[in-house]
Amino acid sequence: MQLHEAMRTTPAVREFTDDPLPDDVLHRILDHARFAPSGGNRQGTRVVVVRDRATRQRLAELNEPAVRRYVAQSAAGESPWNPLHPPGPSPDEIAATEVPEAFTRPVLTAAVVLVFVVDLGVVAAMDQDLDRIGIVGGASVYPLVWNVLLAARAEGFGGTITTMAVAEEDAVRALLGVPDGFAVAAVVPLGRPVKQVTRLRRRPVAELATRERFDGEPFTP
Ligand SMILES: Cc1cc2nc3c(=O)[nH]c(=O)nc-3n(C[C@H](O)[C@H](O)[C@H](O)COP(=O)(O)O)c2cc1C
């Protein structure tokens, strides 16, 4: 598969066939993905490969608290889990919100689930002293996560970056025996997509990039 095609046609896959994703194929995916960059090339990310049914069931359950808030805020027209705008719905309303199966099913039905954790002891975070949430630290782990999805795409597989379980990080770490000092970055179900989406809805370049300044001309050739 051509690089550009893979970049343009790698969607969030949440529905999987029963096809297995054998260890040798997964190893190849990880072997391509491992060339992702990280700050200072410290390579602090570790991947836990989960196939066990009970572990996945628990991971699915650990999504639920964050999904409740996500769904309640979405229904209220809010940008869910935004750090600048606290939720309008009350804690009681959030607690009473139903968890749609679509949020928990992927980790149960995927061929395999990858949990990405990162060693905070080697992550570079140049925005750590700013008065806002950290963004830079994530850049030492998510390029690898995305490389996994691109490499999976090339093998005919797909998945989704999911982050709901991160809100229950201590429980995820306890479940998987992840030591103190590691952060959970993503839970990625991987499998054979039921259907291959080929058109993704994304902003055109002119809405994404400007010349010279943020308020500059839209970038067009
Ligand atoms: C940082 C990040 C966190 C995400 N968390 C979740 C998640 O918890 N659950 C989920 O179903 N999708 C999650 N997604 C997937 C996005 O919803 C998806 O990439 C986006 O809607 C685009 O979907 P598309 O490629 O099918 O167009 C996440 C994506 C990113 C990049």
Side-chain angles (χ1 to χ4, degrees):
M1 169 173 283
Q2 290 297 308
L3 175 62
H4 288 164
E5 188 193 348
M7 290 167 70
R8 298 176 77 104
T9 66
T10 300
V13 175
R14 300 185 182 88
E15 289 182 40
F16 305 101
T17 69
D18 292 336
D19 286 7
L21 202 174
D23 278 354
D24 60 330
V25 178
L26 180 57
H27 187 274
R28 207 156 54 225
I29 290 169
L30 292 169
D31 190 38
H32 290 306
R34 71 191 171 90
F35 291 94
S38 59
N41 202 21
R42 296 302 303 269
Q43 303 177 61
T45 302
R46 296 291 175 272
V47 183
V48 183
V49 178
V50 178
R51 295 193 188 272
D52 179 73
R53 192 88 219 139
T55 307
R56 283 138 154 291
Q57 186 65 51
R58 183 72 185 126
L59 282 172
E61 288 164 11
L62 291 172
N63 278 328
E64 293 181 0
V67 171
R68 283 199 178 87
R69 173 170 158 185
Y70 187 95
V71 172
Q73 286 195 267
S74 299
E78 297 175 357
S79 189
W81 279 98
N82 180 273
L84 300 185
H85 306 294
S90 69
D92 283 351
E93 286 168 329
I94 291 172
T97 303
E98 279 197 27
V99 174
E101 222 198 358
F103 283 96
T104 49
R105 201 175 42 224
V107 282
L108 301 174
T109 55
V112 65
V113 177
L114 307 183
V115 182
F116 291 78
V117 299
V118 60
D119 182 355
L120 295 173
V122 300
V123 162
M126 289 69 170
D127 53 357
Q128 62 188 268
D129 296 329
L130 302 183
D131 185 20
R132 62 157 172 77
I133 60 149
I135 295 293
V136 174
S140 281
V141 45
Y142 293 112
L144 175 67
V145 180
W146 185 242
N147 256 9
V148 165
L149 290 176
L150 288 177
R153 172 91 179 88
E155 298 276 355
F157 291 91
T160 306
I161 299 173
T162 81
T163 45
M164 300 292 175
V166 177
E168 301 296 316
E169 180 174 84
D170 285 349
V172 175
R173 289 197 302 107
L175 179 68
L176 303 175
V178 177
D180 287 349
F182 277 75
V184 178
V187 175
V188 178
L190 273 187
R192 183 88 66 195
V194 167
K195 59 177 185 291
Q196 187 58 59
V197 175
T198 49
R199 285 179 70 84
L200 303 182
R201 288 194 314 127
R202 302 291 190 266
R203 291 183 198 282
V205 173
E207 288 180 22
L208 178 75
T210 50
R211 288 193 188 275
E212 308 301 340
R213 289 174 46 87
F214 186 88
D215 58 357
E217 292 287 304
F219 186 84
T220 53

